[in-house]
Amino acid sequence: MSILIQNIKTLLLANDQYTNKVAGKDLNNIPTLNNAYLLIEGDRIAAWGSMADCPQRADQIIDATGKFVLPTWCDSHTHLVFAATRETEFIDKIKGASYQEIAKKGGGILNSAKKLQQTPIEELVESAYLRLQEVQQYGTGAIEIKSGYGLTLEAEIKMLRVIQQLKQRTAMPIKATFLGAHALPTKYKDNRQGYLDLLIKDMLPQIAAEGLADYIDVFCEKVAFSVAETEQILEAGAKYGLPPKIHTNQFNCMGGIQAAIAHQAISVDHLEVINDEEIAALQGSSTIGTLLPSAPFFLNDHYPQARKMIDAGLGVALATDYNPGSTPSGNMPFVLSLACIKMKMQPAEALQAATINGAYALQLADQLGSISRGKLANVIITKPMDSIAYMPYAFGTNWIDQVIIAGKPI
Ligand code: NIG
Ligand code: FE
């Protein structure tokens, strides 16, 4: 099966050499080709170029006059498997309770864990699959999904098996992350090391034996796990070949970034707060900062300093953080709008952060994140528009016309 998209107003991120993260000034320099075509064969990008060189034949022809074509989003940070939404906390937050206060009262993550422990695996698969289908409509073509709402051996394994089943059910690449260290279960309140031991000695070996995770994550934060505890977990993960992608600097600068870099983390995620020392540490590393602006939007918190990071020469990735507590939304176009409106990123920077840099944060930059020959044919066709700025500008507007995943229109 071949698909030819022709008369494309502008083809974005078309570059066969795009297999690494884009950083600093380069972020604003987005590859563009006007009056272009794109040829898909099977599940791959077969060719692209100017209309003057457009092939004549394909099984299906799509006319993209006036439209942009770009790679799908790589949403490199989500908690898309969960048992129940948390509107009660939403109301508490409107009345003034903070995210940390809710967590301290046994709400938050522990509340989600209680519900997930009681929910059958089939139900979790079905609800997560519906969310996956929904985010594909928003243009997401690859995604990372974390455990961390289990917090017992059985429930963490159950969550990771849900992700494994999702992997088998969709052509969209999925990476699974083990986040057993998301919150300390109440039972271990006076025995923190007891929970770490459960995680390291019981959960990790079984997860590794079943091949259930690609990465290891820790919520390194005052309300969750310390830097020393984080290091213990990352070291254990390394023994099973699980590189870190960690939650850090959501509320406090406490050394999480440096610890993650020392353990060759693929990404450090959140970064609502960051200091100069931490920016310097990132400058010398291959670890990418992943910014999740929907979380501070929903929590009414301050946003990451994307401008400062990019001006310091860093690459950043953008992701949703889709979860029932801090971000009940998997909408990447809205993340792009927040990146521009609240973090002063230029539209081109936001587009590259959400595609090629998201792919880098999933270790999939050789397969996804750009329009390159041989990469997976995961593309977005927009509605007609004048410029790329329209995409983040028209927040909340559905400007996506069509999404193709692995060579198939969805
Ligand atoms: O990334 N910060 C930690 N974890 C999630 C929220 C989890 C929850 O509140 O359920 C996040 O924001
Ligand atoms: Fe998260």
Short mmCIF file of all heavy atoms in Angstrom, two decimals, residues 77-79 99 144 146 149 179 182 217 219 247 250 269-270 292 295 320-323 326-327, ligand 2:
data_model
loop_
_atom_site.label_atom_id
_atom_site.label_comp_id
_atom_site.label_asym_id
_atom_site.label_seq_id
_atom_site.Cartn_x
_atom_site.Cartn_y
_atom_site.Cartn_z
N HIS A 77 6.32 11.57 27.86
CA HIS A 77 6.07 11.48 29.32
C HIS A 77 4.56 11.46 29.59
O HIS A 77 3.89 12.48 29.48
CB HIS A 77 6.72 12.70 30.01
CG HIS A 77 6.55 12.71 31.51
ND1 HIS A 77 7.60 13.03 32.37
CD2 HIS A 77 5.48 12.49 32.30
CE1 HIS A 77 7.16 12.98 33.62
NE2 HIS A 77 5.86 12.66 33.61
N THR A 78 4.03 10.27 29.89
CA THR A 78 2.62 10.19 30.29
C THR A 78 2.42 9.13 31.38
O THR A 78 3.26 8.26 31.58
CB THR A 78 1.66 9.83 29.12
OG1 THR A 78 1.64 8.41 28.94
CG2 THR A 78 2.02 10.52 27.82
N HIS A 79 1.28 9.27 32.04
CA HIS A 79 0.81 8.26 33.00
C HIS A 79 -0.59 7.86 32.50
O HIS A 79 -1.59 8.08 33.18
CB HIS A 79 0.69 8.85 34.40
CG HIS A 79 1.90 9.60 34.89
ND1 HIS A 79 2.68 9.15 35.93
CD2 HIS A 79 2.47 10.78 34.50
CE1 HIS A 79 3.67 10.02 36.16
NE2 HIS A 79 3.55 11.02 35.30
N TYR A 99 -1.38 21.05 45.55
CA TYR A 99 -1.11 19.68 45.12
C TYR A 99 -0.43 18.91 46.26
O TYR A 99 -0.78 17.78 46.56
CB TYR A 99 -0.21 19.75 43.88
CG TYR A 99 0.16 18.43 43.26
CD1 TYR A 99 -0.79 17.66 42.60
CD2 TYR A 99 1.46 17.96 43.32
CE1 TYR A 99 -0.45 16.45 42.03
CE2 TYR A 99 1.82 16.76 42.73
CZ TYR A 99 0.87 16.01 42.09
OH TYR A 99 1.22 14.81 41.51
N GLU A 144 5.26 7.50 25.62
CA GLU A 144 5.81 6.80 26.78
C GLU A 144 4.72 6.71 27.82
O GLU A 144 3.94 7.65 27.98
CB GLU A 144 7.01 7.58 27.33
CG GLU A 144 7.70 6.91 28.51
CD GLU A 144 7.42 7.60 29.83
OE1 GLU A 144 6.42 8.34 29.95
OE2 GLU A 144 8.19 7.39 30.77
N LYS A 146 3.98 5.38 31.92
CA LYS A 146 4.62 4.96 33.18
C LYS A 146 3.69 4.11 34.04
O LYS A 146 2.48 4.27 34.00
CB LYS A 146 4.98 6.20 34.00
CG LYS A 146 5.96 7.11 33.31
CD LYS A 146 6.12 8.43 34.06
CE LYS A 146 6.83 9.46 33.22
NZ LYS A 146 8.20 9.13 32.89
N TYR A 149 1.02 3.85 39.58
CA TYR A 149 -0.26 3.92 40.31
C TYR A 149 -0.60 2.53 40.87
O TYR A 149 -1.76 2.23 41.14
CB TYR A 149 -1.39 4.42 39.41
CG TYR A 149 -1.29 5.88 39.05
CD1 TYR A 149 -1.42 6.30 37.73
CD2 TYR A 149 -1.07 6.85 40.03
CE1 TYR A 149 -1.33 7.64 37.39
CE2 TYR A 149 -0.98 8.20 39.70
CZ TYR A 149 -1.12 8.58 38.38
OH TYR A 149 -1.03 9.90 38.05
N LEU A 179 7.77 3.12 37.31
CA LEU A 179 7.79 4.23 38.28
C LEU A 179 7.25 3.76 39.63
O LEU A 179 6.34 4.34 40.21
CB LEU A 179 6.99 5.42 37.70
CG LEU A 179 6.76 6.67 38.56
CD1 LEU A 179 8.05 7.29 39.07
CD2 LEU A 179 5.96 7.71 37.80
N HIS A 182 6.94 6.30 42.87
CA HIS A 182 6.10 7.47 42.55
C HIS A 182 5.64 8.13 43.84
O HIS A 182 5.59 9.35 43.95
CB HIS A 182 4.90 7.01 41.71
CG HIS A 182 4.21 8.09 40.96
ND1 HIS A 182 3.03 7.89 40.29
CD2 HIS A 182 4.51 9.39 40.76
CE1 HIS A 182 2.66 9.02 39.71
NE2 HIS A 182 3.54 9.94 39.99
N ASP A 217 12.01 5.19 36.46
CA ASP A 217 11.69 6.57 36.85
C ASP A 217 11.56 6.64 38.37
O ASP A 217 11.23 5.64 39.02
CB ASP A 217 10.36 6.97 36.17
CG ASP A 217 10.04 8.45 36.26
OD1 ASP A 217 10.73 9.19 36.99
OD2 ASP A 217 9.06 8.87 35.59
N PHE A 219 10.12 9.70 41.34
CA PHE A 219 9.64 11.06 41.61
C PHE A 219 10.58 11.61 42.69
O PHE A 219 10.41 11.36 43.87
CB PHE A 219 8.18 11.01 42.08
CG PHE A 219 7.52 12.35 42.26
CD1 PHE A 219 8.06 13.52 41.74
CD2 PHE A 219 6.31 12.45 42.96
CE1 PHE A 219 7.44 14.76 41.89
CE2 PHE A 219 5.67 13.67 43.13
CZ PHE A 219 6.25 14.83 42.59
N HIS A 247 11.39 12.14 37.18
CA HIS A 247 10.62 13.32 37.60
C HIS A 247 11.49 14.10 38.59
O HIS A 247 11.81 13.57 39.66
CB HIS A 247 9.38 12.91 38.38
CG HIS A 247 8.24 12.42 37.56
ND1 HIS A 247 8.20 11.17 37.01
CD2 HIS A 247 7.06 13.02 37.23
CE1 HIS A 247 7.04 11.02 36.38
NE2 HIS A 247 6.34 12.12 36.48
N GLN A 250 10.11 19.57 40.10
CA GLN A 250 8.74 20.07 39.91
C GLN A 250 8.48 21.22 40.88
O GLN A 250 7.89 22.22 40.50
CB GLN A 250 7.71 18.94 40.11
CG GLN A 250 6.29 19.39 39.80
CD GLN A 250 5.26 18.26 39.84
OE1 GLN A 250 5.58 17.12 40.18
NE2 GLN A 250 4.02 18.57 39.49
N ASP A 269 12.61 15.31 33.76
CA ASP A 269 11.29 15.81 33.37
C ASP A 269 10.63 16.67 34.45
O ASP A 269 10.79 16.40 35.63
CB ASP A 269 10.37 14.63 33.04
CG ASP A 269 10.93 13.71 31.96
OD1 ASP A 269 12.16 13.70 31.75
OD2 ASP A 269 10.14 13.00 31.31
N HIS A 270 9.90 17.65 34.00
CA HIS A 270 9.20 18.69 34.78
C HIS A 270 10.00 19.99 34.71
O HIS A 270 9.71 20.85 33.93
CB HIS A 270 8.91 18.30 36.24
CG HIS A 270 7.58 17.66 36.42
ND1 HIS A 270 6.40 18.34 36.29
CD2 HIS A 270 7.25 16.37 36.70
CE1 HIS A 270 5.39 17.50 36.50
NE2 HIS A 270 5.89 16.30 36.73
N LEU A 292 6.79 20.02 30.74
CA LEU A 292 5.41 19.53 30.75
C LEU A 292 4.47 20.67 31.15
O LEU A 292 3.91 20.67 32.24
CB LEU A 292 5.31 18.38 31.78
CG LEU A 292 6.43 17.32 31.73
CD1 LEU A 292 6.46 16.49 33.01
CD2 LEU A 292 6.25 16.42 30.52
N ALA A 295 1.08 20.68 33.23
CA ALA A 295 1.03 20.44 34.69
C ALA A 295 0.97 21.76 35.46
O ALA A 295 0.03 21.97 36.23
CB ALA A 295 2.18 19.55 35.13
N THR A 320 3.15 15.79 27.41
CA THR A 320 1.89 16.18 28.09
C THR A 320 1.88 15.91 29.59
O THR A 320 1.27 16.65 30.34
CB THR A 320 0.67 15.43 27.52
OG1 THR A 320 0.86 14.02 27.72
CG2 THR A 320 0.45 15.74 26.06
N ASP A 321 2.49 14.78 30.03
CA ASP A 321 2.35 14.34 31.43
C ASP A 321 0.94 13.83 31.71
O ASP A 321 0.52 13.78 32.87
CB ASP A 321 2.71 15.48 32.41
CG ASP A 321 3.00 14.96 33.82
OD1 ASP A 321 3.24 13.75 33.96
OD2 ASP A 321 2.99 15.77 34.76
N TYR A 322 0.19 13.47 30.69
CA TYR A 322 -1.20 13.00 30.84
C TYR A 322 -1.34 12.11 32.07
O TYR A 322 -0.73 11.05 32.15
CB TYR A 322 -1.58 12.23 29.56
CG TYR A 322 -3.05 11.96 29.36
CD1 TYR A 322 -3.48 11.29 28.22
CD2 TYR A 322 -4.01 12.34 30.29
CE1 TYR A 322 -4.84 11.02 28.00
CE2 TYR A 322 -5.36 12.08 30.09
CZ TYR A 322 -5.76 11.41 28.95
OH TYR A 322 -7.09 11.15 28.74
N ASN A 323 -2.10 12.54 33.06
CA ASN A 323 -2.34 11.77 34.29
C ASN A 323 -3.57 12.35 34.99
O ASN A 323 -3.96 13.48 34.74
CB ASN A 323 -1.10 11.80 35.19
CG ASN A 323 -0.94 13.13 35.92
OD1 ASN A 323 -1.66 13.42 36.88
ND2 ASN A 323 -0.01 13.97 35.47
N SER A 326 -2.32 15.78 37.94
CA SER A 326 -1.81 17.11 37.62
C SER A 326 -2.06 17.53 36.17
O SER A 326 -1.84 18.69 35.84
CB SER A 326 -0.30 17.18 37.90
OG SER A 326 0.41 16.42 36.96
N THR A 327 -2.49 16.59 35.33
CA THR A 327 -2.67 16.91 33.90
C THR A 327 -3.69 15.98 33.26
O THR A 327 -3.32 15.04 32.55
CB THR A 327 -1.34 16.75 33.13
OG1 THR A 327 -0.27 17.28 33.89
CG2 THR A 327 -1.40 17.42 31.77
FE FE B 2 4.67 12.77 35.31
#
